[in-house]
């Protein structure tokens, strides 16, 4: 064997030994350290995951507690709302009988009172009759709102002459208008309009809107009623030159028990249910109702529109159809 061959063999032997030594050192120290590092990282992650799971469990328990409280609160609100509805219905029903008795006895005394109309006795009896009439209207509103809230509110559609209905309501309200020397104008439609709807309920809407206009119009003011037909819809508009409505109040004016702060004296004359009932009636007919006003001191124009023929809910106009 030559010297070169011996050197090559020795070199290969040394390289093999070094390779084995490197592998052994790597396996014994480096890989063990890597394993320890990996185990440590894994342990830390497990601790973090466990901590997050505990936090999440706490949040879930807290949310479940909140949900249970909300559920109990909703149940309590539902119970209180039912009690309120029952109370309003019972109060309205039980108060009607004594009111009818007071009204009847006052009418009898009025007939027996001396003629002339100027005595203190007649003035007192007139005031009693006016008060009982006002209370009867308030009781009727309570009955209507209790029926609406109980889900028993229904409308019955029958064909009727809308022109004649408007004329009847305007005639009835003209007495109140004359007391305030208000000019009550009705713009007649040139042809007869036949509507299939609940005549009594639509007259209730008209009476409410026209009565409000007369109530809020100033002494010697003006109230105008006009109506027309457009694409199978009948629209009625009642405008006045009263105190007007703030833009921020328009979204609240049809809410139950809402009353305008524009005139605190007028505020005492009702429950604030009339417009809410009117809205329910119009909605039940598949129509819509709204108000327009340029602001305080600019008067207001209330309007509602209903179809001439009953339509399904899916064909009812959208809330932004009237702008």
């Amino acid at each position: 064997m030559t010297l070169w061959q011996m050197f090559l063999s020795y070199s290969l032997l040394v390289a093999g030994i070094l390779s084995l030594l490197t592998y052994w050192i790597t396996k014994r120290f480096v890989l063990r350290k890597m394993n320890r590092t990996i185990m440590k990282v894994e342990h830390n992650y497990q601790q973090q995951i466990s901590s997050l799971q505990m936090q999440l469990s706490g949040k879930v328990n807290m949310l479940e507690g909140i949900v249970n409280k909300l559920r109990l609160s909703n149940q309590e609100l539902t119970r209180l709302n039912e009690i309120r509805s029952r109370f309003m219905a019972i109060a309205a029903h039980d108060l009607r009988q004594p009111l009818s008795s007071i009204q009847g006895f006052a009418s009898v005394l009025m007939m027996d009172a001396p003629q002339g109309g100027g005595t203190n006795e007649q003035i007192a009896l007139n005031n009693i009759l006016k008060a009982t009439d006002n209370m009867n209207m308030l009781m009727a509103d309570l009955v209507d709102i209790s029926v609406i809230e109980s889900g028993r509110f229904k409308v019955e559609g029958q064909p009727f002459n809308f022109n004649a209905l408007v004329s009847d309501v305007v005639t009835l309200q003209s007495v109140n208008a004359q007391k305030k020397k208000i000019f009550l104008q009705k713009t007649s439609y040139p042809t007869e309009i036949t509507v299939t709807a609940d005549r009594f309920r639509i007259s209730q809407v008209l009476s409410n809107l026209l009565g409000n206009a007369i109530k809020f119009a100033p002494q010697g003011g003006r109230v105008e009623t006009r109506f027309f037909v457009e694409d199978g819809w009948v629209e009625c508009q009642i405008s006045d030159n009263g105190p007007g409505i703030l833009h921020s109040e328009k979204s609240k004016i049809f809410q139950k028990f809402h009353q305008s702060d524009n005139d605190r004296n007028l505020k005492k004359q009702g429950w604030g249910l009339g417009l809410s009932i009117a809205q329910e009636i119009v909605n039940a007919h598949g129509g819509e109702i709204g108000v327009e006003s340029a602001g305080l001191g600019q008067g207001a124009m209330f309007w509602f529109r209903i179809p001439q023929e009953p339509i399904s809910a899916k064909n009812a106009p959208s809330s932004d159809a009237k702008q």
Side-chain angles (χ1 to χ4, degrees):
M1 183 179 292
T2 64
L3 182 61
W4 171 251
Q5 289 176 332
M6 291 177 61
F7 177 74
L8 183 59
S9 298
Y10 178 75
S11 297
L12 291 173
L13 180 61
V14 170
I17 294 172
L18 288 174
S19 297
L20 290 173
L21 184 61
T22 301
Y23 170 77
W24 182 80
I25 293 173
T26 300
K27 183 178 179 181
R28 184 172 181 84
F29 296 102
V30 177
L31 292 178
R32 184 177 296 177
K33 187 175 182 179
M34 288 177 63
N35 288 334
R36 285 200 301 267
T37 302
I38 292 171
M39 291 177 63
K40 185 176 180 180
V41 171
E42 184 180 357
H43 179 70
N44 289 338
Y45 277 130
Q46 289 177 347
Q47 285 185 328
Q48 291 179 10
I49 291 171
S50 177
S51 176
L52 289 174
Q53 286 177 338
M54 292 179 62
Q55 293 179 17
L56 182 61
S57 177
K59 297 292 184 183
V60 169
N61 291 334
M62 183 176 68
L63 286 174
E64 287 178 349
I66 293 173
V67 169
N68 287 331
K69 288 181 180 179
L70 287 174
R71 180 175 54 80
L72 294 174
S73 298
N74 286 334
Q75 290 176 350
E76 182 66 11
L77 286 173
T78 301
R79 186 183 70 84
L80 293 175
N81 193 46
E82 291 175 353
I83 292 174
R84 186 192 61 149
S85 297
R86 286 200 300 268
F87 170 76
M88 290 194 302
I90 292 170
H93 179 271
D94 291 349
L95 285 174
R96 277 187 165 183
Q97 181 60 40
L99 279 174
S100 298
S101 299
I102 293 170
Q103 196 171 30
F105 287 128
S107 299
V108 172
L109 291 173
M110 192 74 176
M111 293 171 61
D112 295 338
Q115 299 299 316
T119 65
N120 291 334
E121 182 179 342
Q122 284 183 322
I123 293 173
L125 290 172
N126 271 324
N127 289 334
I128 291 173
L129 289 173
K130 289 178 183 178
T132 53
D133 284 340
N134 189 41
M135 285 297 295
N136 277 323
M137 288 189 291
L138 293 176
M139 292 304 104
D141 284 347
L142 281 180
V143 170
D144 283 340
I145 206 69
S146 64
V147 170
I148 289 169
E149 290 187 343
S150 66
R152 295 182 287 110
F153 181 75
K154 294 181 180 179
V155 294
E156 297 180 359
Q158 294 291 335
F160 65 88
N161 187 330
F162 192 82
N163 311 54
L165 174 63
V166 175
S167 296
D168 291 344
V169 173
V170 170
T171 300
L172 290 173
Q173 292 292 336
S174 62
V175 177
N176 294 327
Q178 290 172 4
K179 292 177 182 178
K180 293 182 66 176
K181 297 181 179 179
I182 290 174
F183 176 64
L184 192 58
Q185 180 181 358
K186 179 176 73 73
T187 302
S188 299
Y189 196 70
T191 58
E192 181 179 308
I193 301 173
T194 301
V195 177
T196 301
D198 193 316
R199 191 181 193 280
F200 170 74
R201 290 300 184 181
I202 296 302
S203 69
Q204 192 176 354
V205 174
L206 273 167
S207 298
N208 183 284
L209 297 182
L210 190 56
N212 275 354
I214 294 171
K215 180 171 69 173
F216 284 98
Q219 191 81 13
R222 174 188 55 80
V223 172
E224 180 182 0
T225 302
R226 62 187 297 264
F227 57 96
F228 55 90
V229 177
E230 184 178 13
D231 297 331
W233 292 82
V234 179
E235 180 164 333
C236 186
Q237 300 174 349
I238 299 173
S239 57
D240 62 69
N241 62 340
I245 301 170
L246 288 171
H247 181 74
S248 58
E249 195 176 10
K250 289 182 182 179
S251 60
K252 306 175 185 176
I253 202 164
F254 291 98
Q255 294 177 0
K256 286 179 290 190
F257 303 105
H258 175 77
Q259 292 180 317
S260 173
D261 291 326
N262 293 342
D263 194 323
R264 296 186 181 276
N265 293 324
L266 294 175
K267 191 174 181 180
K268 299 176 182 178
Q269 297 183 10
W271 303 106
L273 293 173
L275 291 177
S276 176
I277 293 171
Q279 184 181 51
E280 292 289 343
I281 294 172
V282 173
N283 288 344
H285 284 84
E288 54 182 351
I289 188 170
V291 61
E292 297 175 7
S293 176
L296 292 181
Q298 302 297 315
M301 191 269 283
F302 282 84
W303 58 268
F304 73 92
R305 61 198 303 256
I306 58 172
Q308 283 187 271
E309 298 291 335
I311 59 174
S312 59
K314 65 180 182 180
N315 294 323
S318 60
S319 60
D320 58 352
K322 177 81 176 179
Q323 296 293 341

